Amino acid sequence: MLLKKDEIPVLIKDLKKLYPKTKTALHYDSAFQLLCAVILSAQCTDARVNMVTPKLFEKYPDAKAMSQASLPDIEKLIKSTGFYHAKAKSLSETSKILIEQYGGEVPADMQKLLKLRGVARKTANVVLQDFYGITEGIVIDTHVKRLSYRIGLTRNTDPVKVERDLTKILDKKYWHWISHALIWHGRGICHARGPKCDQCPLSAYCPKNGLRAK
């Protein structure tokens, strides 16, 4: 069951009370480091990524350094994030493209970002929003996808379709904020398994409980 149109502003108001200011939990000092951190976060927690990146960025702080690194060395540094063979290739090849085509800088452009290895819309949206302050879409990670479906903002589970649905029903001024708000709520309360429904301030919107906002 989808939320009714007049319920959405109330949901946003309640979410704002819980998460008035939000930002990514990933640690970084540059657009390049944020890009790398988001690539590493695939199928991995931000907490784990933040444990790995200090040593990685100490040794390879920018695209030039990363592009010259050997794959085995990158793999060794990022192994605990999972899927480290593919992620190491993404970091290496993306760094080389940045050097060859963009002077070592991360482009502030969605289409250019999507051409980099290991970069899909989620990664591109994070970099554009959290570093460049450019909002072109909504970050759809596993938490946003799960909560959007549970709360009734979408009937879809495919990230591209979920993003499309949310951009249609939400004012653009909320796009950046709501993704982080849902991520933090998903981490703290609305878990994939064993959600804390009895502690959830948003339970009135959740079809899981058969409830709706009054």
Side-chain angles (χ1 to χ4, degrees):
M1 183 184 298
L2 292 174
L3 281 179
K4 297 176 182 178
K5 186 176 181 180
D6 60 353
E7 291 176 315
I8 294 175
V10 186
L11 169 65
I12 290 175
K13 182 179 179 180
D14 287 349
L15 262 178
K16 278 283 189 180
K17 291 178 181 177
L18 295 171
Y19 312 101
K21 294 182 180 180
T22 59
K23 63 179 182 179
T24 180
L26 295 170
H27 300 163
Y28 61 93
D29 291 324
S30 66
F32 173 74
Q33 292 185 4
L34 176 58
L35 175 63
C36 292
V38 183
I39 290 174
L40 293 176
S41 71
Q43 302 297 312
C44 181
T45 66
D46 288 355
R48 168 57 59 182
V49 173
N50 287 337
M51 293 173 65
V52 167
T53 51
K55 289 185 178 179
L56 178 69
F57 295 153
E58 180 181 4
K59 195 166 186 180
Y60 307 116
D62 52 33
K64 181 178 180 180
M66 189 75 74
S67 69
Q68 297 171 347
S70 69
L71 281 176
D73 198 35
I74 298 175
E75 290 174 351
K76 181 180 178 181
L77 289 166
I78 69 171
K79 187 173 183 178
S80 65
T81 67
F83 303 97
Y84 61 95
H85 292 303
K87 290 179 180 179
K89 287 183 179 179
S90 293
L91 296 185
S92 179
E93 293 185 19
T94 284
S95 298
K96 291 174 182 176
I97 293 173
L98 293 179
I99 293 297
E100 294 168 1
Q101 299 183 22
Y102 304 110
E105 299 298 321
V106 176
D109 179 276
M110 174 66 77
Q111 296 310 311
K112 291 178 180 178
L113 286 169
L114 292 176
K115 292 179 180 178
L116 301 174
R117 182 184 171 101
V119 177
R121 285 194 62 87
K122 170 203 165 182
T123 301
N125 273 320
V126 172
V127 172
L128 289 174
Q129 293 177 8
D130 286 274
F131 192 84
Y132 291 114
I134 299 172
T135 300
E136 288 195 20
I138 297 175
V139 174
I140 307 297
D141 80 336
T142 183
H143 299 293
V144 178
K145 182 178 71 172
R146 180 176 71 255
L147 269 67
S148 296
Y149 185 85
R150 282 181 174 174
I151 292 172
L153 294 173
T154 181
R155 288 194 180 97
N156 290 300
T157 56
D158 176 79
V160 173
K161 293 180 179 179
V162 173
E163 183 180 8
R164 179 199 64 196
D165 291 345
L166 267 58
T167 55
K168 284 182 178 179
I169 63 175
L170 299 173
D171 191 298
K172 189 173 183 178
K173 66 183 179 181
Y174 298 124
W175 290 3
H176 183 196
W177 160 80
I178 199 166
S179 61
H180 288 308
L182 292 177
I183 287 170
W184 285 108
H185 196 68
R187 287 175 179 158
I189 295 179
C190 194
H191 303 150
R193 296 181 181 180
K196 302 175 183 178
C197 298
D198 59 331
Q199 302 176 31
C200 182
L202 305 180
S203 60
Y205 310 99
C206 188
K208 180 180 177 64
N209 294 325
L211 301 171
R212 271 294 183 260
K214 303 299 183 180

